Amino acid sequence: MPKILIVGGGYAGFYTAWKLEKWLRAGEAEVTIVDPLPYMTYQPFLPEVAAGSIEPRHSVVSQRRHLKKTTVITAKVTRIDHASKVATITPELGEPWEFDYDVVVVTGGAVSRTFPIPGIADNAIGLKSIEEAVAIRDRVLTNFDKAANLPAGPERDRLLTFVVVGGGFAGIEVFAELRSFASSLLEFYPQLSFDDTSFHLIEAMGRIMPEVSLPTSHWVIKHLAQRGAEIHLDTQLTSAVDGNIELSTGESFASDLIVWTAGVMANPAIVRSSDLPVEERGRIQTRADLRVGDEDDWVADAWAAGDIAAVPDLTGGGVGGYCVPNAQHAVRQGKLLAKNIVAVLRGEEPKEYFHKNLGAVAGLGVGSGVFQSGNIALKGLIAWFAHRGYHGLAMPSWERKFRVFWGWWNNFWLGRDIVSLSAVQQPRAQFEAFAARPKVVTDAAPQAKAAPTASAAKKADPKASAALESKSATTETKAGGSAAAKVVAAEPVAAK
């Protein structure tokens, strides 16, 4: 049986494996998926997870639960030698091993792309994983708890100042969701007011959300300004050392939470460790039919899709002629990739990927959103329903759809859960603080031989005992009286 190895379990990888299970005949191929995480993250939900609107576990999809015919390996692929068709798999524990395959599918996704700005690597947090979204939510809640106990001043301002870098869809969504989240928290913190909170979005270009029209982006800026959020256009972040934000405009302020959403790049850990062709932007060179290669030639038995692949956009709407790295393309590429692999296994020709963007939808906090499709633009509540409806139905599997919609329904009646679990990042801290530990036993230095007491000497030698008692009495007399005499003299005083 041919062995199909899928490197990466994100959108493209998960959907490729999921659809291969559906379309492959019994015994036609053996599928293995390798990813360091045992789940696929539905990234469009990360802003709502950060704002407490979605339970974190509901926005991820378990690979082992839903890929029942696929071998799931939770580890990293640290080398792809396609010339020999061998991949090196490195688990978190244990020794690496080599995996022989017949067909490789590279869907390793993307990571946050940063710049060498002082302080960013030490203080900022990205928004590419569920763990990052949870950490952002807990930081906001914890900062409110701390600020409520402080008087007005620089330290309280720092705790309640939140910064997002990057004005794309991800940046605007998390920025707006956090503004909505903070506003909803104020009723539980009577010590704080709306004016105490401060939100800043920093965008180097002259506009936000390039996926929507310019008038729509202007409406978003105005809408967020009315809600007390400030957007800095044509502005660069020059420093973030120790949380002290310095902008190219000369403005500066302190912040305890910096969220970085200013771009992504193909996962370099996978790209640099393979012998597959790479284009100038560091992505795997991929044809429109999702085979690795270019227009003139391709690499046999090698496929790629998603954010790690440079897939030509045949609609002409892509940046630089390639599909932009987003969930909409990754999901559809994964489905087509599975069909094309099955077609090639059966001696048929693969189809080219062609998908014209039908529109863009974004949530801007509870009850507010924006939707753009061609010249049609929806704003406010109706766009918010469109956002939740689209992404809720796009969530893989009915089991996950039900969990997401049920969570939204509960929040409608009960409100968001505002419990911070930041202590989970150091789960043993409290246990260690109070845990009993064995006493440390050290080798004591040998003690000098003690002088014999009068009673001991008396038992051993009556004559020696008498001499010892006489010597003791003489010594005590010279010292001003015996201790026993002093105690006896003190007894009447104490009794009296």
Side-chain angles (χ1 to χ4, degrees), residues 4-8 11-20 23-24 103-108 286-292 301-306 308-309 311 329-345 350-353:
I4 301 173
L5 173 64
I6 302 175
V7 181
Y11 292 121
F14 178 84
Y15 272 92
T16 299
W18 204 24
K19 296 305 179 182
L20 282 174
W23 294 320
L24 283 172
V103 178
V104 67
V105 178
V106 184
T107 54
T286 310
R287 292 160 50 94
D289 59 11
L290 304 180
R291 287 186 286 192
V292 174
D301 300 322
W303 306 77
I308 201 171
V311 179
H329 282 304
V331 169
R332 288 169 173 81
Q333 288 172 8
K335 294 177 180 180
L336 177 63
L337 201 156
K339 287 184 178 180
N340 283 349
I341 291 175
V342 172
V344 171
L345 288 176
K351 295 181 179 180
E352 293 185 333
Y353 176 74

Side-chain angles (χ1 to χ4, degrees), residues 383-443:
W384 179 71
F385 278 118
H387 162 75
R388 285 203 162 181
Y390 171 78
H391 286 297
L393 293 175
M395 187 72 177
S397 83
W398 285 104
E399 175 254 342
R400 287 288 134 175
K401 288 180 175 65
F402 181 82
R403 291 182 188 274
V404 170
F405 279 106
W406 183 250
W408 282 335
W409 177 253
N410 287 337
N411 285 351
F412 177 78
W413 297 103
L414 305 176
R416 302 185 236 206
D417 197 325
I418 63 169
V419 175
S420 170
L421 297 178
S422 59
V424 77
Q425 297 172 30
Q426 294 89 27
R428 298 187 65 252
Q430 185 177 20
F431 178 82
E432 286 186 273
F434 298 100
R437 292 173 172 81
K439 294 182 179 179
V440 179
V441 179
T442 59
D443 295 333

Side-chain angles (χ1 to χ4, degrees), residues 166-184:
F169 250 66
I172 289 295
E173 283 193 291
V174 71
F175 184 65
E177 289 285 355
L178 290 179
R179 173 69 272 183
S180 173
F181 186 33
S183 298
S184 69

Side-chain angles (χ1 to χ4, degrees), residues 143-159 191-192 196:
N143 282 8
F144 266 76
D145 291 334
K146 293 178 180 178
N149 296 323
L150 294 174
E155 181 59 21
R156 192 170 78 172
D157 292 341
R158 182 183 69 86
L159 291 171
Q191 308 92 329
L192 305 176
D196 292 327

Side-chain angles (χ1 to χ4, degrees), residues 98-451:
E98 292 187 342
F99 183 92
D100 297 323
Y101 63 83
D102 297 293
V103 178
V104 67
V105 178
V106 184
T107 54
V111 298
S112 296
R113 176 177 61 104
T114 59
F115 306 102
I117 300 172
I120 284 297
D122 301 318
N123 298 288
I125 184 170
L127 192 66
K128 290 291 293 178
S129 69
I130 190 66
E131 292 82 5
E132 290 173 324
V134 172
I136 291 170
R137 181 202 64 185
D138 288 344
R139 177 69 66 86
V140 172
L141 290 167
T142 301
N143 282 8
F144 266 76
D145 291 334
K146 293 178 180 178
N149 296 323
L150 294 174
E155 181 59 21
R156 192 170 78 172
D157 292 341
R158 182 183 69 86
L159 291 171
L160 297 179
T161 299
F162 307 99
V163 176
V164 175
V165 184
F169 250 66
I172 289 295
E173 283 193 291
V174 71
F175 184 65
E177 289 285 355
L178 290 179
R179 173 69 272 183
S180 173
F181 186 33
S183 298
S184 69
L185 290 176
L186 291 173
E187 66 173 300
F188 304 104
Y189 295 87
Q191 308 92 329
L192 305 176
S193 68
F194 182 87
D195 293 334
D196 292 327
T197 61
S198 181
F199 282 79
H200 298 269
L201 184 136
I202 303 167
E203 171 53 49
M205 299 181 65
R207 63 162 299 177
I208 61 171
M209 305 175 74
E211 297 88 347
V212 302
S213 66
L214 193 59
T216 301
S217 70
H218 288 165
W219 178 88
V220 173
I221 294 174
K222 182 179 178 181
H223 175 70
L224 290 174
Q226 292 172 346
R227 291 164 52 185
E230 186 174 356
I231 295 179
H232 304 262
L233 297 178
D234 292 316
T235 304
Q236 295 180 356
L237 176 65
T238 59
S239 178
V241 176
D242 296 329
N244 295 312
I245 304 299
E246 296 181 8
L247 305 181
S248 58
T249 58
E251 187 177 357
S252 63
F253 46 86
S255 173
D256 193 57
L257 178 60
I258 306 168
V259 182
W260 182 273
T261 64
V264 297
M265 63 179 179
N267 191 333
I270 296 176
V271 172
R272 296 171 185 170
S273 61
S274 78
D275 57 355
L276 298 173
V278 178
E279 49 95 54
E280 62 273 9
R281 296 189 62 183
R283 298 172 295 180
I284 294 178
Q285 186 68 56
T286 310
R287 292 160 50 94
D289 59 11
L290 304 180
R291 287 186 286 192
V292 174
D294 54 29
E295 296 179 359
D296 301 323
D297 197 8
W298 67 87
V299 180
D301 300 322
W303 306 77
D307 295 355
I308 201 171
V311 179
D313 190 341
L314 301 182
T315 66
V319 177
Y322 295 100
C323 296
V324 296
N326 62 23
Q328 191 173 148
H329 282 304
V331 169
R332 288 169 173 81
Q333 288 172 8
K335 294 177 180 180
L336 177 63
L337 201 156
K339 287 184 178 180
N340 283 349
I341 291 175
V342 172
V344 171
L345 288 176
R346 297 172 184 172
E348 302 171 3
E349 288 296 317
K351 295 181 179 180
E352 293 185 333
Y353 176 74
F354 184 94
H355 172 68
K356 188 173 183 179
N357 191 359
L358 300 179
V361 60
L364 302 177
V366 175
S368 180
V370 61
F371 169 80
Q372 180 85 47
S373 179
N375 295 325
I376 300 175
L378 303 177
K379 310 176 188 71
L381 182 62
I382 188 171
W384 179 71
F385 278 118
H387 162 75
R388 285 203 162 181
Y390 171 78
H391 286 297
L393 293 175
M395 187 72 177
S397 83
W398 285 104
E399 175 254 342
R400 287 288 134 175
K401 288 180 175 65
F402 181 82
R403 291 182 188 274
V404 170
F405 279 106
W406 183 250
W408 282 335
W409 177 253
N410 287 337
N411 285 351
F412 177 78
W413 297 103
L414 305 176
R416 302 185 236 206
D417 197 325
I418 63 169
V419 175
S420 170
L421 297 178
S422 59
V424 77
Q425 297 172 30
Q426 294 89 27
R428 298 187 65 252
Q430 185 177 20
F431 178 82
E432 286 186 273
F434 298 100
R437 292 173 172 81
K439 294 182 179 179
V440 179
V441 179
T442 59
D443 295 333
Q447 297 179 353
K449 187 175 181 180

Side-chain angles (χ1 to χ4, degrees), residues 458-479:
K458 188 174 183 179
K459 292 180 181 178
D461 187 349
K463 292 182 179 181
S465 173
L468 182 61
E469 289 176 353
S470 175
K471 183 178 179 181
S472 175
T474 302
T475 304
E476 290 168 353
T477 301
K478 292 180 179 180

